[in-house]
Amino acid sequence: AQSVTQLGSHVSVSEGALVLLRCNYSSSVPPYLFWYVQYPNQGLQLLLKYTSAATLVKGINGFEAEFKKSETSFHLTKPSAHMSDAAEYFCAVSVQNQGGKLIFGQGTELSVKP
Amino acid sequence: DADVTQTPRNRITKTGKRIMLECSQTKGHDRMYWYRQDPGLGLRLIYYSFDVKDINKGEISDGYSVSRQAQAKFSLSLESAIPNQTALYFCATSVTGNEQFFGPGTRLTVL
């Protein structure tokens, strides 16, 4: 069965510091992987996705993630945090032979301190 | 106008009441999904539909039912609401299931 684990339910960084949100997945077949962001009182918005092309994926708002098969990881990074990045971030895996259902991690809340 | 809309946005109800949450989309997608979000648990799939005649249970379908009235409309019902169904509910749409587009959510409180 597929699963996703996000390490750390809360991450706090200073404005301008590196953002690193960790995601590890479990899948018996090549996965499609996603990062979504949820701003307060809003729905989820796609940040970026990995669909078996380039292993380094660039998304919106300066975020990127690297697919590492050997580590079963898909960590999200941003070189310099901005106050507007404060939100909850979800990693998700989709497995093609299950009709494209998404399995979500528990979420990581990112706080950015001035 | 938003591509995926949900009504109501907030609802407070009592134990035992029947509740319907509605989702409409203008994206023209065949696939639609209902999730619930609970703190610390992420999003969990309740039901999903690949077209009007194809409806499937997700991982937590007990206590819920759905109706796909048209390609653009997918409703979630709680036949007899209970307090542990208090959660944030999201509808989503997709072409292939890989990239899903989410509505703004419905916050449901069952007293």
Side-chain angles (χ1 to χ4, degrees):
Chain A
Q2 290 71 39
S3 65
V4 174
T5 301
Q6 292 183 238
L7 300 177
S9 58
H10 292 90
V11 171
S12 182
V13 300
S14 297
E15 192 172 20
L18 172 71
V19 175
L20 171 60
L21 305 182
R22 300 178 186 273
C23 173
N24 288 89
Y25 70 91
S26 172
S27 177
S28 58
V29 297
Y32 285 9
L33 294 159
F34 306 82
W35 276 99
Y36 282 85
V37 60
Q38 183 182 27
Y39 298 105
N41 300 313
Q42 295 187 26
L44 278 71
Q45 177 184 359
L46 183 67
L47 266 181
L48 49 80
K49 60 183 178 182
Y50 167 76
T51 56
S52 73
T55 57
L56 182 62
V57 180
K58 294 186 183 300
I60 62 172
N61 301 337
F63 284 93
E64 62 182 36
E66 185 172 8
F67 173 69
K68 292 186 176 180
K69 183 178 179 181
S70 61
E71 298 178 7
T72 61
S73 68
F74 190 57
H75 301 331
L76 182 70
T77 61
K78 181 174 181 178
S80 177
H82 191 273
M83 296 296 291
S84 62
D85 294 327
E88 188 154 22
Y89 293 79
F90 293 94
C91 182
V93 62
S94 171
V95 182
Q96 296 313 292
N97 62 5
Q98 292 190 12
K101 290 186 294 182
L102 288 180
I103 298 170
F104 285 86
Q106 306 92 319
T108 298
E109 184 173 356
L110 176 66
S111 300
V112 182
K113 298 175 292 185
Chain B
D1 289 340
D3 295 321
V4 183
T5 57
Q6 293 183 234
T7 56
R9 293 293 312 278
N10 289 282
R11 182 71 184 269
I12 300 174
T13 190
K14 296 181 178 180
T15 297
K17 294 292 187 180
R18 184 179 188 275
I19 296 296
M20 178 180 286
L21 309 183
E22 299 186 341
C23 177
S24 295
Q25 53 115 345
T26 59
K27 299 186 76 67
H29 292 168
D30 285 328
R31 301 187 182 197
M32 297 187 73
Y33 306 78
W34 275 105
Y35 295 89
R36 66 175 279 175
Q37 181 182 11
D38 298 279
L41 297 179
L43 278 76
R44 293 179 292 167
L45 184 62
I46 305 172
Y47 271 95
Y48 60 105
S49 170
F50 288 168
D51 63 39
V52 175
K53 297 182 180 180
D54 184 2
I55 292 177
N56 306 278
K57 293 182 177 180
E59 63 176 305
I60 55 164
S61 59
D62 287 348
Y64 301 95
S65 62
V66 291
S67 173
R68 184 83 183 264
Q69 301 94 326
Q71 186 204 38
K73 296 185 182 295
F74 192 35
S75 300
L76 176 72
S77 293
L78 288 66
E79 297 300 326
S80 179
I82 56 177
N84 76 0
Q85 291 177 314
T86 292
L88 189 54
Y89 290 85
F90 286 103
C91 173
T93 73
S94 180
V95 174
T96 63
N98 291 322
E99 182 172 353
Q100 296 187 13
F101 298 85
F102 286 80
T106 294
R107 186 170 298 279
L108 177 66
T109 302
V110 183
L111 301 177

